[in-house]
Amino acid sequence: MQPQNFNKEHDHSLLFEGNRRLRTLVENLPGIVFRCKNDKDWTMQFISKECLWITGYSPEDFCAPDKITWASIIHPLDRENVWNIIQKSVKQKEKFHLTYRILDSEQKIHWVNEMGIAVQNRKGTIFLEGYIQDITEQITGGKINIIRDRALDEVQNGVIISNAQLEGFPIIYVNKAFESITGYTHDEVIGRKCNFLQNDDRDQREIIDIREALKSKSPCRVEIRNYRKDGSMFWNQLSITPIRNETGEVTHFIGVQNDITEKKNLEFIRKTKNEVLEMILEKRSLTQIFDRMKSVLEQQLSVGIITIAEYDEREQKLQRISGRSASMLFEQTLDKITSESASCISLRAIQSKKREVVPDIFKEPTWSKYRDVLKHSGIQWTCFYPLLDAENNVLGILSIFRQGPFRTGSKMGKLIEEMANLAGLAIEKKRVQENLILSRKQLERYSKELEKKVLRRNKDLKKTLKKLTETNFDLITQIAETKMAEEKLEIHETILLNIAQNFPKGSILLVDQKMEITFFEGTAFKHLQDQIETNEAFRIHDLKGISQKNRSLLQQHINQTLKGKHLSFDFEDAMDSYMVNTTPLFKENGEASLALLVLFNISERKRNEKTIQDNLIKEIELSELKSRFISTASHEFRTPLSIILSSASLIEKLDTPEKIERRMFHLERIKSNVQHLTDLLNDFLSLTKLEEGATRATPKYFNLLELSKTLLEEVGIDKKKGQTLELECNVTKLEVYLDPKLIRYIVLNLLSNAIKYSNEGQPILLQIYGKDQKVIIRVRDQGIGIPEEEKQYIFKRFFRARNSLEIAGTGLGLHIIKSYTELMEGALRFESEENRGSSFELELPKNMKKNEKGTYYR
């Protein structure tokens, strides 16, 4: 009797221990394990503690009578569909698997994935048993806060968040665009008041608007001058928006910065050009016009001196034209140099008719005796622009003196070129006016001389009167022609003004019915303008630098335009893209005589369209990667969970002592599959840490050979029948300074893969060699190998070769191994042939080196 009692106590102890392990397993699963009645309320008989974290309700809330039922927390729109699916599975005696929404204790929506099966007790009552997992993050796309922070960092505009509940509204967050725009780092601005960007520029009216908006907790939008960390000014388009909590109280302000300095500069430059053109049309003096140009250019240069001089070709001298100036001493010195020396830089620019640049003016002989004036003015670099008329004759010189150069292709260089063109136009217009005045004076002198001749020839009155009439007729004709010339000049001036105002970045062409280009002006296709200016009659099909296809396209649209059509089309030339609008110009009889072509450079827009298309492709690839992840995770988790569930159900029925061996078998299955789930979760966790940059190598000194022997023993229990594990090493001890955890993961995974993808009876070889300062770890097998066409994808996340799809795996192991190898400054290579086996080789340093911060982050 005593041995029998002993056996019963032993069986009871084993049963208790098994139940304890089962309870521990259930309570530590990342989801809800449940048993409920198959009624409309799904009345719970058992529910694990995980329900508290997902629903906000405890197991007592669900299991106690007259409290919360599971049916009551299912979203009303999903409740009927859930009931129908489960009842259909119960009727067909199948497992059910469905996804639906629930409302937690705070009425927040959670997406859950439920798997289960119907069971029947001896009395015939049907119960539901299963597992419920929260998949809200998978449905909604991940951790929203992290995504939001990353999105804010990717925004091109500066973003500032300040605390509205503290005095002075201190800054609590800025994004990367703010750091890029202002030059201040995140740590330098956190805790500071938002108005520090105005420096001492506190007289701006917009500052009052901002203060009133902050005081009244209302939004506002202003354009204000701000200053970067290096002291440079930029125009900031600032939008401020208050953020309120659930009670309506303003807790924070969000400011969005947009750097509009370039826009303001363009507006200023456009306004200046219009102002100068108006001064030219109003026939202002050259001194007034040049002083305005000089002040604008010196303001844009920040530091430097501008002079403009007119060139007298007969005297071969330059005459500086300007009013009062802060750099008068320097300008007077420049007058002396140009009058004394025929080899001055400015005269060289006149002779070459090209821009002349002198990097170091102190090396110019003509300036050597004026070294003190140069040093006092802070001048070292100089540049001279010749001012040319329509016939390429030199009218004057625009000179720039400053400490250092600027790029000729920059906005400053383009502004100087445009001002040089306007200065040349002003001088040319002045000379035309002078020639007109001179012509009038000559006509007046001629008329007076004619009157004297009439008085002297009184004797031959008829002859004199006839000659006088003819002369007067010629005089009237000349006056009419002169007036017409003045009108044409004003028309050309108006056309030039419209071109400068409306098409500063494009070009305008006029083409007649013979396809001859009668007019060309603009900044695009400068190489075409040179061809047109050097030929009296130049046709479209004679253009060089444009492909035959584009010339034919232009001719085709010009022909249609001359028939009275308004057209718009695009074409590409070399590296740029252009949009062309055509308009017919009609004579008085209604016939189209000319085709007006307006070309505008749209290269930037085309590049933006390509960028959008590239981003769309990346989004599609990311979506595919997400789908593969969900498919792989759901497939890999379903099998072990099903085994755990079925084993748990069978253990419940194996409640007699003689079935202990079967119970232990199922318990081992549960432990094995729980370990498998843990390994899967570890792989996903390792991938997440790698993606977030949170994984780092922590090197230690250890014996690599000893660790390898231990790992061979661990994986030995997973060998298939007849498989052998061999270790080959060229040393008896191999001391290294690496991360043992990462090495353990790499070697275990490579050995596990070799076992998993090899058949029974095949050998597996682990080779370890120490060579100089390197360590070589190689794992060889004679397994299924990798198909040739899929080798390029083998290290990608979630990739599974076509010949391995029937073998369990997530497709993450090799990706993580490669990342860990690179983290330890190593390299991973492999050789493989389908149905002949694979060889993976790691090359690592014996001793890792620390970076500047002493850490080993990936």
Side-chain angles (χ1 to χ4, degrees):
M1 294 297 293
Q2 187 175 357
Q4 185 178 359
N5 290 334
F6 175 78
N7 289 334
K8 289 182 178 180
E9 291 176 0
H10 179 69
D11 292 343
H12 180 73
S13 176
L14 290 176
L15 180 59
F16 176 80
E17 179 64 19
N19 289 334
R20 184 188 65 79
R21 292 180 181 179
L22 180 59
R23 288 194 303 272
T24 301
L25 172 64
V26 169
E27 296 302 337
N28 286 279
L29 283 175
I32 301 171
V33 178
F34 71 91
R35 177 185 173 94
C36 69
K37 294 181 179 180
N38 186 32
D39 55 17
K40 279 286 187 177
D41 291 330
W42 283 298
T43 304
M44 290 291 175
Q45 288 192 322
F46 169 81
I47 188 168
S48 61
K49 293 181 179 179
E50 187 68 17
C51 66
L52 178 61
W53 304 108
I54 296 178
T55 68
Y57 300 110
S58 67
E60 291 77 11
D61 292 334
F62 283 107
C63 295
D66 300 328
K67 287 198 174 182
I68 300 299
T69 64
W70 188 261
S72 66
I73 68 170
I74 297 177
H75 196 285
L77 297 178
D78 297 344
R79 198 171 295 159
E80 183 177 355
N81 186 49
V82 171
W83 171 261
N84 292 335
I85 292 174
I86 293 178
Q87 297 312 307
K88 181 179 179 181
S89 299
V90 170
K91 184 176 181 180
Q92 296 176 355
K93 297 183 179 180
E94 295 177 347
K95 296 178 182 179
F96 54 86
H97 184 187
L98 66 162
T99 300
Y100 57 92
R101 293 167 290 180
I102 64 171
L103 300 172
D104 65 13
S105 59
E106 296 179 355
Q107 296 302 299
K108 293 181 180 178
I109 294 177
H110 293 258
W111 284 90
V112 296
N113 185 20
E114 180 177 342
M115 295 178 291
I117 191 169
V119 295
Q120 189 172 5
N121 65 8
R122 297 174 182 176
K123 297 179 179 180
T125 305
I126 296 176
F127 296 92
L128 302 180
E129 295 179 348
Y131 180 76
I132 300 173
Q133 186 178 11
D134 189 339
I135 59 169
T136 305
E137 288 190 0
Q138 299 176 34
I139 295 296
T140 59
K143 299 179 179 178
I144 302 303
N145 291 334
I146 294 175
I147 294 173
R148 181 171 58 246
D149 291 343
R150 290 177 179 172
L152 286 174
D153 282 340
E154 293 300 321
V155 171
Q156 298 299 316
N157 294 337
V159 177
I160 312 168
I161 301 178
S162 65
N163 192 331
Q165 296 180 328
L166 296 179
E167 183 179 358
F169 310 124
I171 297 173
I172 63 171
Y173 171 83
V174 293
N175 67 345
K176 292 181 180 178
F178 175 90
E179 295 178 340
S180 175
I181 293 172
T182 65
Y184 290 96
T185 65
H186 178 275
D187 294 336
E188 289 174 335
V189 301
I190 295 303
R192 299 182 68 175
K193 296 181 180 179
C194 299
N195 61 357
F196 77 95
L197 289 176
Q198 283 92 54
N199 283 357
D200 297 329
D201 191 1
R202 303 288 181 174
D203 295 331
Q204 303 181 60
R205 179 184 57 80
E206 291 79 4
I207 293 178
I208 299 174
D209 296 339
I210 293 174
R211 288 174 182 169
E212 291 177 354
L214 294 177
K215 184 178 180 181
S216 61
K217 306 293 179 69
S218 58
C220 73
R221 183 185 182 93
V222 296
E223 293 181 357
I224 190 169
R225 293 185 298 274
N226 282 349
Y227 297 85
R228 300 182 178 90
K229 184 178 179 179
D230 60 6
S232 60
M233 188 272 288
F234 69 99
W235 281 95
N236 176 23
Q237 186 181 68
L238 176 63
S239 298
I240 299 176
T241 304
I243 303 300
R244 304 178 184 273
N245 60 16
E246 59 274 6
T247 62
E249 181 184 6
V250 175
T251 59
H252 297 83
F253 287 102
I254 292 183
V256 179
Q257 286 185 329
N258 184 16
D259 189 346
I260 59 171
T261 306
E262 182 178 355
K263 171 189 171 184
K264 285 287 186 179
N265 288 340
L266 289 175
E267 290 176 357
F268 174 76
I269 292 171
R270 189 180 297 112
K271 180 180 178 182
T272 302
K273 287 165 55 181
N274 293 342
E275 182 181 346
V276 171
L277 283 169
E278 288 177 0
M279 294 176 71
I280 294 174
L281 292 176
E282 292 173 0
K283 301 179 181 179
R284 300 277 189 92
S285 67
L286 289 182
T287 299
Q288 292 175 313
I289 295 171
F290 289 176
D291 281 351
R292 178 56 183 155
M293 291 183 180
K294 181 174 179 295
S295 65
V296 170
L297 291 175
E298 288 181 349
Q299 178 184 0
Q300 293 297 309
L301 279 174
S302 299
V303 178
I305 299 174
I306 304 292
T307 62
I308 305 176
E310 185 178 4
Y311 178 63
D312 189 336
E313 189 173 5
R314 286 183 299 178
E315 298 291 334
Q316 294 189 346
K317 289 185 178 180
L318 286 169
Q319 177 64 42
R320 180 174 53 83
I321 301 176
S322 62
R324 295 181 179 179
S325 173
S327 56
M328 185 59 70
L329 176 62
F330 177 83
E331 293 177 350
Q332 291 174 351
T333 303
L334 176 63
D335 293 342
K336 292 180 183 179
I337 294 173
T338 53
S339 62
E340 292 174 359
S341 175
S343 61
C344 181
I345 317 162
S346 57
L347 296 178
R348 293 206 302 267
I350 291 173
Q351 294 169 359
S352 67
K353 297 183 181 180
K354 295 180 180 179
R355 182 175 61 89
E356 293 285 337
V357 178
V358 179
D360 189 355
I361 201 170
F362 292 105
K363 295 182 181 179
E364 285 290 322
T366 54
W367 290 78
S368 58
K369 61 181 178 180
Y370 300 101
R371 182 178 294 271
D372 294 339
V373 176
L374 292 176
K375 287 186 176 180
H376 181 267
S377 302
I379 300 301
Q380 182 173 3
W381 180 90
T382 183
C383 180
F384 295 87
Y385 286 82
L387 310 180
L388 306 175
D389 63 9
E391 297 178 355
N392 208 35
N393 298 316
V394 179
L395 303 175
I397 289 290
L398 187 150
S399 309
I400 305 169
F401 303 89
R402 65 198 311 265
Q403 292 178 345
F406 58 85
R407 293 187 297 107
T408 56
S410 64
K411 294 174 183 174
M412 190 63 227
K414 293 179 180 178
L415 174 61
I416 292 174
E417 289 179 359
E418 291 177 353
M419 286 299 176
N421 292 335
L422 290 175
L425 178 63
I427 296 175
E428 185 177 9
K429 187 177 187 314
K430 172 209 166 192
R431 293 187 178 181
V432 170
Q433 291 173 346
E434 290 175 347
N435 290 334
L436 288 173
I437 294 172
L438 181 61
S439 297
R440 289 192 185 99
K441 289 181 179 179
Q442 289 176 348
L443 287 173
E444 290 175 359
R445 286 197 299 270
Y446 182 73
S447 178
K448 290 179 181 179
E449 290 174 0
L450 184 60
E451 289 176 0
K452 291 178 182 179
K453 288 180 181 180
V454 171
L455 293 174
R456 288 196 300 266
R457 296 177 183 180
N458 286 333
K459 295 180 181 180
D460 196 357
L461 182 59
K462 288 184 179 180
K463 186 176 180 180
T464 301
L465 289 173
K466 183 179 179 181
K467 289 183 178 181
L468 180 61
T469 302
E470 293 175 353
T471 302
N472 286 336
F473 180 77
D474 291 339
L475 179 61
I476 292 170
T477 302
Q478 291 179 16
I479 293 173
E481 290 177 352
T482 302
K483 185 175 181 181
M484 290 176 63
E486 290 178 347
E487 291 176 351
K488 288 182 179 180
L489 179 60
E490 291 180 357
I491 291 172
H492 283 300
E493 289 172 350
T494 304
I495 292 174
L496 180 60
L497 177 60
N498 289 331
I499 292 173
Q501 286 178 335
N502 299 312
F503 308 103
K505 292 185 178 180
S507 294
I508 292 180
L509 286 83
L510 289 177
V511 184
D512 62 15
Q513 294 177 340
K514 297 178 181 180
M515 290 296 162
E516 291 184 358
I517 301 173
T518 62
F519 178 82
F520 183 96
E521 186 64 41
T523 58
F525 293 109
K526 278 291 186 183
H527 60 286
L528 301 183
Q529 190 170 8
D530 296 335
Q531 298 177 41
I532 295 168
E533 291 177 351
T534 55
N535 295 273
E536 292 184 0
F538 201 74
R539 293 178 173 84
I540 290 293
H541 61 75
D542 296 328
L543 290 174
K544 297 179 181 179
I546 296 181
S547 65
Q548 178 63 39
K549 177 182 177 181
N550 287 335
R551 289 200 297 268
S552 301
L553 181 66
L554 287 172
Q555 287 181 335
Q556 177 185 352
H557 285 80
I558 291 171
N559 283 328
Q560 294 181 11
T561 302
L562 290 172
K563 294 178 181 179
K565 295 183 178 180
H566 296 259
L567 304 174
S568 178
F569 62 95
D570 297 348
F571 76 92
E572 295 184 358
D573 179 71
M575 300 299 291
D576 293 322
S577 300
Y578 296 89
M579 179 176 68
V580 184
N581 292 314
T582 69
T583 301
L585 301 181
F586 299 96
K587 296 180 181 178
E588 292 182 358
N589 60 3
E591 180 184 355
S593 60
L594 294 171
L596 172 66
L597 279 72
V598 180
L599 289 79
F600 192 76
N601 193 316
I602 59 171
S603 303
E604 184 176 357
R605 189 183 76 183
K606 291 289 186 181
R607 287 191 292 270
N608 290 338
E609 290 176 355
K610 186 177 183 304
T611 300
I612 292 172
Q613 292 176 352
D614 292 343
N615 289 338
L616 180 59
I617 293 173
K618 291 180 180 179
E619 286 292 334
I620 293 172
E621 291 176 353
L622 183 60
S623 177
E624 292 177 352
L625 180 62
K626 177 181 175 183
S627 298
R628 288 203 304 272
F629 168 77
I630 293 173
S631 176
T632 301
S634 61
H635 178 268
E636 290 301 319
F637 275 87
R638 184 183 298 114
T639 300
L641 285 174
S642 297
I643 293 173
I644 291 171
L645 183 60
S646 63
S647 293
S649 299
L650 291 171
I651 287 173
E652 183 181 15
K653 297 178 181 180
L654 299 173
D655 54 355
T656 59
E658 62 275 9
K659 297 180 180 179
I660 185 171
E661 185 176 347
R662 297 294 298 167
R663 288 201 302 271
M664 294 304 296
F665 168 75
H666 288 295
L667 286 173
E668 288 300 324
R669 290 183 70 194
I670 291 173
K671 288 194 293 183
S672 174
N673 282 278
V674 167
Q675 182 60 45
H676 180 50
L677 287 174
T678 302
D679 292 340
L680 291 175
L681 290 174
N682 286 338
D683 281 350
F684 290 135
L685 181 59
S686 298
L687 177 63
T688 302
K689 288 183 177 180
L690 284 170
E691 294 295 329
E692 294 177 352
T695 302
R696 60 180 179 179
T698 306
K700 297 179 182 178
Y701 287 102
F702 66 95
N703 188 341
L704 178 59
L705 186 57
E706 183 179 336
L707 175 62
S708 301
K709 292 178 181 179
T710 303
L711 296 179
L712 282 174
E713 292 178 1
E714 289 185 18
V715 299
I717 61 175
D718 296 327
K719 290 189 301 181
K720 297 177 183 177
K721 184 178 180 181
Q723 287 183 339
T724 59
L725 294 173
E726 298 180 13
L727 173 63
E728 182 181 296
C729 186
N730 64 343
V731 293
T732 59
K733 184 178 181 180
L734 187 54
E735 192 79 14
V736 295
Y737 186 66
L738 297 168
D739 189 324
K741 292 183 179 179
L742 300 186
I743 292 292
R744 177 184 178 85
Y745 180 91
I746 291 170
V747 175
L748 276 177
N749 268 269
L750 289 177
L751 290 172
S752 298
N753 283 349
I755 293 171
K756 184 164 52 174
Y757 296 118
S758 297
N759 295 325
E760 296 179 354
Q762 292 182 336
I764 296 167
L765 178 61
L766 172 61
Q767 297 174 310
I768 300 177
Y769 300 106
K771 183 180 179 182
D772 298 332
Q773 297 301 316
K774 298 288 185 180
V775 173
I776 305 297
I777 301 174
R778 187 182 299 117
V779 176
R780 294 179 179 272
D781 64 62
Q782 298 178 9
I784 63 175
I786 303 169
E788 183 66 29
E789 67 276 8
E790 296 183 343
K791 289 181 179 180
Q792 58 182 319
Y793 310 112
I794 198 67
F795 293 117
K796 290 186 175 294
R797 293 171 295 180
F798 304 110
F799 176 77
R800 303 293 309 283
R802 58 174 168 76
N803 59 347
S804 66
L805 296 179
E806 299 300 324
I807 302 173
T810 61
L812 293 177
L814 288 178
H815 174 76
I816 296 173
I817 287 172
K818 188 174 188 299
S819 300
Y820 281 177
T821 303
E822 294 171 351
L823 195 61
M824 292 187 291
E825 305 168 359
L828 176 61
R829 297 178 289 271
F830 76 96
E831 295 178 356
S832 183
E833 185 176 351
E834 191 171 6
N835 297 322
R836 289 184 176 271
S838 302
S839 173
F840 286 84
E841 179 181 287
L842 286 85
E843 182 178 309
L844 297 166
K846 284 186 178 180
N847 296 281
M848 287 182 61
K849 297 179 181 179
K850 295 184 178 181
N851 59 21
E852 296 178 355
K853 297 182 179 180
T855 56
Y856 302 84
Y857 286 97
R858 173 172 168 74

